[in-house]
Amino acid sequence: MPKVSEQPGAPIRHLKLKLLVLALLCAMPLGGSLSVLLTGITRVPLLAYCVASVVAFVLYAYDKQCAKSGRWRIPEKALHSVELLGGWPGALVAQQVLRHKTRKVSYLVWFWLIVAVHQAVWIDVLFLKVTFLNL
């Protein structure tokens, strides 16, 4: 018998805490994306985060269905590529909502490294004034 937390439709555990973590993690990328948009530099980061997050969520949902039905899965490299392109917020939401890709440590290590890279880039852009976006 599956655990209560694995049952479809079961509420997300610690929802308020997880929403707070998501908001904190998204603060710098969102703030940075809005900053470069409002200064007229580019709108690409904001669009990339939005589109890639939707794509990541859809890919996670599709992969979960493939896992349930025994079909070929989406390669982890493909999921990580979408996360690296800015889809990590959508992937993080999908992990919690769909309860997918939350247990394999090697996958999660790469996922959190991708999140850390995004945070580091925005720290550079926002606080160290690196203007690689002008290139």
Side-chain angles (χ1 to χ4, degrees):
M1 179 166 211
K3 295 179 184 176
V4 173
S5 63
E6 295 175 352
Q7 292 178 354
I12 299 172
R13 296 176 58 197
H14 311 291
L15 179 61
K16 289 180 183 178
L17 176 63
K18 289 177 179 179
L19 288 173
L20 176 63
V21 169
L22 177 64
L24 291 173
L25 288 173
C26 288
M28 259 193 294
L30 181 60
S33 296
L34 290 173
S35 175
V36 296
L37 174 69
L38 295 174
T39 56
I41 296 173
T42 183
R43 63 176 172 246
V44 172
L46 189 59
L47 290 172
Y49 278 108
C50 292
V51 171
S53 288
V54 170
V55 169
F57 191 94
V58 169
L59 288 176
Y60 267 68
Y62 179 74
D63 190 55
K64 173 98 179 196
Q65 288 303 315
C66 288
K68 283 182 174 180
S69 63
R71 293 180 291 173
W72 285 97
R73 307 276 302 277
I74 295 174
E76 289 182 357
K77 287 181 182 181
L79 295 174
H80 286 317
S81 296
V82 173
E83 295 160 2
L84 189 59
L85 291 172
W88 66 264
L92 184 57
V93 170
Q95 287 174 9
Q96 299 305 310
V97 171
L98 303 172
R99 292 178 178 79
H100 189 53
K101 297 289 187 187
T102 58
R103 293 187 181 193
K104 188 174 178 185
V105 174
S106 62
Y107 184 88
L108 291 172
V109 166
W110 280 106
F111 173 80
W112 286 108
L113 282 173
I114 289 168
V115 174
V117 165
H118 277 265
Q119 299 300 315
V121 166
W122 288 112
I123 287 171
D124 273 353
V125 171
L126 292 171
F127 302 111
L128 303 176
K129 303 302 181 199
V130 173
T131 56
F132 71 91
L133 295 173
N134 284 335
L135 301 177

